[in-house]
């Protein structure tokens, strides 16, 4: 059992390392590309592009989420020797996609019709452009679930590192082609065509790799009971996908609906470091989930509790570190990167950082709940939180304070129920009787670190990249020392020191 656990964690670490490499490349390419695109297309068109992307993200929930459900089912049953059972799960995922295909097409069609209205303040002459982009990216949404079934098999069998390599290749290709759009003075519609082509290319590579590395790769017609069970989980997963999309995109969606495209562009640049930090956390958490799923499937609850406890502490410490760095440096970072006019203010950044910390903790627990394949309660709580977010933001912006700050406050307050309930659900699933997640002294320490970082960040400004980088390194070292002392348990402090010593030697 110990050897099996060690092998699972080794693959989880490999998945995490390749995922972090993917994140690094994604951050570098986005860092270079976003200013180029916003300067070429302008904040107005760039804001439209980002708004369409977020809205279509919601439309994608109507694909049935068969491929997403397949990841967790495969992870739970990977230790089983029943090859045909796993192939029937693949067949179930394909059938779910077919069942939901008419619904997906209908929703995309409705969005095509209403898209010029859903995005506020679109010029009349640009409405045809918006519709054309939505049509192309809608086709992309229709094909993606089927193309991603092979990806789900790779991830579920703990081969996420292969998926990450393919994503890196796709990312670099998109980066190069996007630069060509600017160089050859092409249109926004050409960027949409590139996205569709790369999606097909990536799907083909997933299929080839799954066929090569997964011995049981294939699909069979499922039994009625298996399809019913899979469809039930997939349906709840579909509804949760709506909630998850809103969790990730609520700021952009609400700013797009209540304000204007230019405000969306300002948010994109000001919150760039925050959004990328959320990606890092998701990479680490999701990389270990197939391992947790296999342990859970084998009823090794003690190992699950150990891994989850370490993940929780790591995600909390990471969120406080990143949030503090952002509060210290984001004002100067945005000014040097994109221009001071795109910075939305230190107070708003503080609110977004608090939302980020909250979101990272919620997503970590949410991913873990999925391994149980029983997500009904999670989904219902998520729907309530989503409704509260929309209600609080709409009332707050229209009737209390016509500012973007009230939108961020509404988002934070509406998610608090999830922050409390999800960890308790995970503990119950993993047979853990604890009702507290973090000691109160850790919460007080984290709050103090965030507050001091905010005060310092408001009053410090750097006018050159060199000074900003040097200050970031110095302040980062100080923060790591403080977080090491106040937010890590003695056990994880020793583990941290061993890792540092290993990397030095």
């Amino acid at each position: 059992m110990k050897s099996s656990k060690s092998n699972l964690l080794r693959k989880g670490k490999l998945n995490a390392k390749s995922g972090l490499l993917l994140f690094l490349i994604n951050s570098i390419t986005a860092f270079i590309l976003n200013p180029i695109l916003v300067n070429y297309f302008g904040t107005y068109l760039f804001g439209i592009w980002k708004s369409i992307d977020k809205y279509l993200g919601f439309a994608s929930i109507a694909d049935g989420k068969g491929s997403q459900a397949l990841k967790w089912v495969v992870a739970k049953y990977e230790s089983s020797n029943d090859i045909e059972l796993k192939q029937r799960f693949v067949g179930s995922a394909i059938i779910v996609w077919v069942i939901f295909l008419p619904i997906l097409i209908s929703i995309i069609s409705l969005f095509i019709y209403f898209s010029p209205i859903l995005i506020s303040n679109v010029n009349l002459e640009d409405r045809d452009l918006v519709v054309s982009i939505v049509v192309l990216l809608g086709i992309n949404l229709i094909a993606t679930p089927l193309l991603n079934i092979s990806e789900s098999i790779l991830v579920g069998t703990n081969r996420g590192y292969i998926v990450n390599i393919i994503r890196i290749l796709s990312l670099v290709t998109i980066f190069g082609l996007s630069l060509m759009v600017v160089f050859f003075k092409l249109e926004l519609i050409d960027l949409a065509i590139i996205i569709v082509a790369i999606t097909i290319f990536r799907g083909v590579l997933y299929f080839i790799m799954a066929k090569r590395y997964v011995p049981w790769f294939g699909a069979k017609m499922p039994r009625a009971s298996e399809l019913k069970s899979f469809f039930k989980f997939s349906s709840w997963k579909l509804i949760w996908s709506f909630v998850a999309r809103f969790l990730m995109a609520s700021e952009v969606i609400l700013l797009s609906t209540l304000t204007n495209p230019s405000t969306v562009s300002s948010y994109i640049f000001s919150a760039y470091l925050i959004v990328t930090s959320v990606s890092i956390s998701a990479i680490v958490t999701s990389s270990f989930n197939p391992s947790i799923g296999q342990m859970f499937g084998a009823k090794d609850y003690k190992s699950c509790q150990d891994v989850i406890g370490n993940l929780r502490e790591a995600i909390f410490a990471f969120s406080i570190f990143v949030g503090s760095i952002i509060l210290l440096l984001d004002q100067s970072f945005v000014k040097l990167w994109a221009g001071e006019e795109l910075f939305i203010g230190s107070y708003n950044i503080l609110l977004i950082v608090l939302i980020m910390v909250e979101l990272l903790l919620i997503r970590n627990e949410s991913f873990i709940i999925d391994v149980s394949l029983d997500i009904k309660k999670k989904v219902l709580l998520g729907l309530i939180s989503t409704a509260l977010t929309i209600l609080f933001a709409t009332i707050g912006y229209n009737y209390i304070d016509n500012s973007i700050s009230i939108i961020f406050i509404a988002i934070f307050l509406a998610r608090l129920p999830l922050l409390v309930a999800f960890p308790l659900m995970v503990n119950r699933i993993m047979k853990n009787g604890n009702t507290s997640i973090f000691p109160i002294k850790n919460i007080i320490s984290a709050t103090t670190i965030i507050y001091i970082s905010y005060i310092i960040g408001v009053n410090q400004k750097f006018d050159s990249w060199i000074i900003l980088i040097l200050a970031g390194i110095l302040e980062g070292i100080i923060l790591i020392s403080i977080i090491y002392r106040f937010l890590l348990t003695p056990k994880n402090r020793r583990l941290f020191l061993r890792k540092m010593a290993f990397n030095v030697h």
Side-chain angles (χ1 to χ4, degrees):
M1 179 70 71
K2 196 170 194 180
S3 175
S4 174
K5 176 185 174 183
S6 176
N7 184 53
L8 289 174
L9 293 179
R10 182 184 61 81
K11 284 190 174 181
K13 291 175 183 176
L14 185 58
N15 294 338
K17 288 177 181 177
S18 61
L20 291 173
L21 177 61
L22 170 64
F23 162 78
L24 177 63
I25 294 174
N26 182 52
S27 298
I28 293 172
T29 54
F31 180 81
I32 297 171
L33 192 59
N34 279 344
I36 294 174
L37 291 179
V38 79
N39 286 331
Y40 177 66
F41 289 115
T43 57
Y44 168 74
L45 286 178
F46 185 77
I48 287 176
W49 172 262
K50 288 296 182 180
S51 298
I52 291 173
D53 178 59
K54 296 300 181 182
Y55 274 117
L56 282 177
F58 279 94
S60 70
I61 66 171
D63 63 18
K65 294 303 165 195
S67 60
Q68 292 296 315
L70 185 62
K71 292 180 185 178
W72 304 110
V73 175
V74 168
K76 183 175 181 179
Y77 290 96
E78 175 59 10
S79 57
S80 170
N81 294 321
D82 191 341
I83 292 176
E84 290 194 356
L85 173 66
K86 289 180 272 194
Q87 290 177 336
R88 291 197 297 271
F89 284 136
V90 177
S92 296
I94 296 172
I95 291 173
V96 167
W97 175 74
V98 172
I99 290 173
F100 280 90
L101 190 58
I103 301 174
L104 178 61
I105 293 173
S106 299
I107 291 176
I108 292 173
S109 299
L110 286 172
F111 183 58
I112 290 171
Y113 182 79
F114 289 107
S115 56
I117 301 172
L118 288 173
I119 303 173
S120 299
N121 301 314
V122 173
N123 297 332
L124 186 63
E125 62 269 21
D126 293 320
R127 293 193 173 187
D128 288 342
L129 172 65
V130 171
V131 169
S132 299
I133 292 173
V134 174
V135 168
L136 277 170
L137 297 183
I139 294 171
N140 189 65
L141 279 187
I142 292 170
T144 295
L146 185 62
L147 295 171
N148 283 355
I149 284 178
S150 300
E151 177 212 17
S152 297
I153 294 172
L154 288 168
V155 172
T157 56
N158 231 356
R159 294 177 174 86
Y161 53 91
I162 296 176
V163 170
N164 289 333
I165 291 170
I166 294 173
R167 287 174 178 167
I168 289 171
L169 179 61
S170 302
L171 190 62
V172 172
T173 305
I174 289 175
F175 175 73
L177 293 176
S178 298
L179 289 179
M180 290 178 65
V181 167
V182 176
F183 182 80
F184 290 106
K185 300 189 184 304
L186 302 179
E187 304 294 331
L188 201 59
I189 191 74
D190 299 300
L191 202 57
I193 294 172
I194 289 170
I195 298 299
V196 176
I198 295 300
T199 297
I200 296 171
F201 169 71
R202 187 170 57 234
V204 171
L205 288 182
Y206 288 151
F207 179 85
I208 294 171
M209 292 296 103
K211 188 173 178 61
R212 179 175 179 180
Y213 290 106
V214 180
W216 57 264
F217 181 73
K220 287 186 178 294
M221 181 63 68
R223 296 167 183 165
S225 59
E226 292 168 344
L227 179 59
K228 181 180 179 181
S229 175
F230 188 92
F231 184 82
K232 181 181 178 181
F233 177 60
S234 181
S235 297
W236 284 115
K237 193 70 180 167
L238 180 152
I239 301 172
W240 175 254
S241 294
F242 167 79
V243 177
R245 286 283 181 178
F246 194 79
L247 283 172
M248 290 298 297
S250 54
E251 294 93 328
V252 171
I253 293 295
L254 292 171
L255 289 174
S256 173
T257 304
L258 297 173
T259 61
N260 55 69
S262 295
T263 303
V264 174
S265 291
S266 296
Y267 169 82
I268 294 296
F269 282 94
S270 293
Y272 172 77
L273 293 175
I274 293 172
V275 173
T276 51
S277 300
V278 171
S279 298
I280 291 180
S281 174
I283 288 166
V284 174
T285 303
S286 61
S287 294
F288 285 96
N289 277 348
S291 300
I292 295 173
Q294 290 182 40
M295 293 174 194
F296 180 77
K299 301 187 185 304
D300 185 5
Y301 299 119
K302 180 62 173 63
S303 295
C304 287
Q305 291 171 18
D306 291 342
V307 174
I308 290 169
N310 289 335
L311 264 180
R312 281 173 171 168
E313 188 172 302
I315 295 300
F316 184 58
F318 171 79
S319 67
I320 298 303
F321 171 76
V322 172
S324 299
I325 283 289
I326 290 168
L327 289 171
L328 289 165
L329 305 175
D330 196 57
Q331 183 175 191
S332 299
F333 174 80
V334 174
K335 176 185 175 182
L336 292 170
W337 180 37
E340 195 168 9
E341 67 278 3
L342 288 174
F343 183 65
I344 60 175
S346 296
Y347 177 63
N348 287 322
I349 292 298
L350 172 63
L351 294 175
I352 299 171
V353 163
L354 294 177
I355 291 172
M356 178 204 72
V357 173
E358 184 182 48
L359 177 61
L360 294 188
L361 298 177
I362 290 171
R363 289 189 81 198
N364 183 46
E365 305 298 327
S366 170
F367 282 137
I368 298 169
I369 291 171
D370 285 351
V371 306
S372 70
L373 306 185
D374 183 8
I375 61 173
K376 179 180 178 180
K377 291 180 181 178
K378 178 186 94 166
V379 172
L380 294 177
L381 285 171
L383 286 173
I384 293 171
S385 176
T386 299
L388 288 176
T389 301
I390 296 172
L391 179 65
F392 290 173
T394 303
I395 292 176
Y397 185 81
N398 289 318
Y399 299 103
I400 298 176
D401 182 12
N402 194 233
S403 72
I404 61 175
S405 299
I406 200 70
I407 296 175
F408 299 140
I409 292 171
I411 292 169
F412 180 81
L413 293 176
R415 292 177 181 174
L416 285 177
L418 305 185
L419 187 62
V420 174
F422 280 11
L424 297 177
M425 292 171 62
V426 169
N427 285 357
R428 189 161 52 248
I429 290 167
M430 298 302 170
K431 315 298 182 186
N432 185 342
N434 291 338
T435 55
S436 62
I437 307 303
F438 300 111
I440 188 67
K441 68 180 182 64
N442 285 31
I443 297 174
I444 293 173
S445 298
T447 304
T448 303
I449 293 169
I450 289 290
Y451 177 74
I452 293 174
S453 299
Y454 168 68
I455 296 299
I456 295 173
V458 169
N459 294 289
Q460 72 173 9
K461 296 180 182 179
F462 305 109
D463 296 321
S464 76
W465 282 109
I466 294 176
I467 297 176
L468 176 64
I469 292 170
L470 291 175
I473 293 172
L474 176 61
E475 292 174 348
I477 292 171
I478 294 172
L479 275 172
I480 289 173
S481 302
I482 294 172
I483 288 170
Y484 170 85
R485 173 63 182 84
F486 292 102
L487 298 185
L488 296 183
T489 60
K491 176 185 174 182
N492 283 331
R493 286 181 209 161
R494 291 192 295 270
L495 179 61
F496 179 81
L497 289 177
R498 284 200 301 271
K499 290 287 185 184
M500 292 297 292
F502 176 79
N503 289 332
V504 169
H505 291 95

